[in-house]
Amino acid sequence: MASKPKVLLTSNNLSKKALDLLRTRCSLEVCKSSKEGGSLTTQDIVNSVSGKYAILCHSGNPINEQILKAAGPSLKVVSTFSVGYDHIDLMSMKKYGVRLGYTPDVVTEPVAEIAVGLVIATTRRFFEANRELKTGGWKEWTPGWMCGRTIKGSTVGILGCGRIGTSIAEKLMNFKVSQLLYTSRSEKPEVKALGGQLVTVDELMERSDFVVVAAALNDDTKFIVSRERIATMKSNAILVNIGRGQLVDQDALVEALKEKRIRGAGLDVMTPEPLPLDHPLMSLDNVLLLPHIGTTTYETEEEMAMMTVQNILAAVDGHSIPNEVVF
C-alpha cells in the first residue's frame, strides 16, 4: 500500500473538520517553533519541510526560495489559509514548479464589515469615549465633549474597488453619503450603479472625507498612500486601511496624525505585525488599531480551512486546484 502524501502544517489551530478530512488522505506534521511559545521562523520550516508533498500555511508564514529548495522535488503544492499571497515568493514557486492555492471570495463580507466598523468607530470616537468612561473622564455631558462627525453627507473614497471594496461601497451608501469615489483598473458597473465615480488615486485622496484602503498589495500598490498623497488629504479626513500595512507610508501617517493634519485613522493592518508596544501609533488618541481581525469569524475560518484543504486534496488527486493562483 502506497504511503500517504506528507503535508506540513504551520499551525494546527484550524477547523477540526477540515484537518480530519485532510488526514483521511494525507499524513500530517505540525511544524514546531525552535523557541517555546515563539513564532515560526524560516529555519523552523526549513528543518521540517524535506520530503513533504504540500505545505499548509497562513499569511504569517513567508514561503521563500530557501524553504522551497529545502523541500526538494517532492513538494508539489503550497496552500495558504488567506486571500492575500504577498507572503509567497511567486518567482521561486514558478522556478521550482510548485502550485499555489488560496482562499478568495470567502473573506469579502467579514473584511467589508470590519472596514465599515472602523469608519464608524473612528469617526464617532468609540475607543476614546470608552476609555473616558472607564477611567473617570465621564463626569457630565457638556456640548462639544466627545464630538465626532457623521458619515451622512460625506465624500467616501474606496481605494482599490475589487470584491471587498465593492461590498464596502454598498454598505456605506446606506449611510446616505453625498459622494462615492473609487479607484480601479476599469469602471465597475455595480459601483457606478450606486452613484460611484471612477477617479485617480490623487483625486480620491484630495476629495475624500473618508479614505478606505482596500487594494491588494503588489509592486504597483506598495506605499500607494504615499507621504505626498497623505499631505493632500483634508484636515477632517479619516483614513481606514483593511488591505495590507505596506499600502500606506506608515511613518508619514504617524506624522500626519501627531500634527493633526488629518482627523484620524482606523487600521486593521499595519507594519510590522504584531505592532511593537512602543510603536508611535500606540500612543496616539486619534488612531484606532485592531490586530488584523478582518477575517476572524467562526464561519469564515471554517470555510477558509475547508478551501485550503480542498486545494491540497485536488492536487493529490491530480485534478485542477479549485482556487489556484496562476503565475
Side-chain angles (χ1 to χ4, degrees):
M1 183 176 177
S3 60
K4 293 180 178 180
K6 297 177 181 178
V7 178
L8 182 67
L9 310 178
T10 61
S11 172
N12 65 347
N13 194 27
L14 297 175
S15 154
K16 182 179 183 300
K17 179 180 177 181
L19 290 183
D20 284 347
L21 175 62
L22 186 59
R23 196 174 282 112
T24 62
R25 305 287 306 284
C26 301
S27 174
L28 309 187
E29 178 184 330
V30 181
C31 189
K32 303 293 185 183
S33 172
S34 54
K35 294 182 180 178
E36 179 137 5
S39 301
L40 288 180
T41 64
T42 293
Q43 191 59 49
D44 291 331
I45 300 175
V46 165
N47 292 343
S48 302
V49 76
S50 178
K52 301 300 186 292
Y53 177 87
I55 301 172
L56 193 163
C57 65
H58 56 78
S59 58
N61 311 129
I63 303 298
N64 55 28
E65 183 168 11
Q66 186 181 354
I67 290 170
L68 298 174
K69 185 176 180 181
S74 65
L75 186 66
K76 302 301 180 185
V77 61
V78 171
S79 190
T80 181
F81 181 81
S82 63
V83 63
Y85 46 87
D86 49 282
H87 56 296
I88 309 289
D89 182 344
L90 298 184
M91 289 185 64
S92 293
M93 292 281 285
K94 186 174 182 178
K95 175 181 176 180
Y96 289 92
V98 181
R99 300 162 72 187
L100 176 61
Y102 71 132
T103 61
D105 301 335
V106 64
V107 303
T108 298
E109 291 307 308
V111 175
E113 290 170 2
I114 283 285
V116 173
L118 281 170
V119 168
I120 298 169
T122 306
T123 193
R124 294 300 303 274
R125 303 173 67 182
F126 282 5
F127 279 34
E128 291 176 76
N130 180 261
R131 184 166 57 249
E132 289 294 294
L133 182 151
K134 289 185 174 181
T135 58
W138 183 23
K139 305 297 185 185
E140 60 177 333
W141 181 86
T142 57
W145 186 69
M146 281 291 113
C147 268
R149 287 183 179 271
T150 183
I151 302 169
K152 180 182 177 181
S154 67
T155 297
V156 171
I158 311 294
L159 201 166
C161 210
R163 289 183 295 265
I164 293 173
T166 298
S167 181
I168 295 168
E170 292 169 346
K171 290 172 172 54
L172 286 176
M173 286 304 292
N174 290 316
F175 289 85
K176 300 180 181 178
V177 305
S178 175
Q179 288 186 299
L180 172 64
L181 311 178
Y182 72 98
T183 67
S184 178
R185 290 190 181 92
S186 59
E187 193 167 67
K188 300 281 187 180
E190 60 270 45
V191 183
K192 184 179 180 180
L194 296 171
Q197 179 185 356
L198 178 63
V199 297
T200 65
V201 175
D202 289 335
E203 189 174 356
L204 183 143
M205 295 294 294
E206 292 170 11
R207 292 174 55 187
S208 299
D209 299 303
F210 297 94
V211 175
V212 182
V213 184
L217 178 63
N218 53 47
D219 291 340
D220 294 330
T221 60
K222 188 174 182 179
F223 301 132
I224 192 169
V225 181
S226 62
R227 178 177 296 274
E228 293 75 18
R229 284 172 171 154
I230 290 172
T232 69
M233 293 176 69
K234 294 180 178 181
S235 60
N236 72 332
I238 281 176
L239 184 141
V240 166
N241 187 8
I242 51 81
R244 285 289 188 268
Q246 287 188 306
L247 293 167
V248 176
D249 184 333
Q250 194 164 274
D251 291 339
L253 177 62
V254 168
E255 291 174 20
L257 290 167
K258 279 184 175 179
E259 296 167 11
K260 294 186 167 47
R261 287 188 277 112
I262 64 173
R263 189 156 57 94
L267 310 176
D268 186 45
V269 290
M270 55 219 73
T271 306
E273 294 181 359
L275 197 67
L277 294 178
D278 61 353
H279 192 280
L281 281 172
M282 293 288 198
S283 62
L284 298 176
D285 289 333
N286 55 345
V287 62
L288 192 162
L289 303 172
L290 297 179
H292 203 150
I293 59 170
T295 63
T296 308
T297 71
Y298 292 112
E299 298 86 353
T300 304
E301 290 202 351
E302 178 76 30
E303 192 170 352
M304 287 174 69
M306 291 300 294
M307 290 174 72
T308 308
V309 164
Q310 286 163 354
N311 286 336
I312 294 174
L313 292 178
V316 169
D317 290 336
H319 297 157
S320 297
I321 292 176
N323 296 288
E324 182 169 6
V325 179
V326 179
F327 44 81

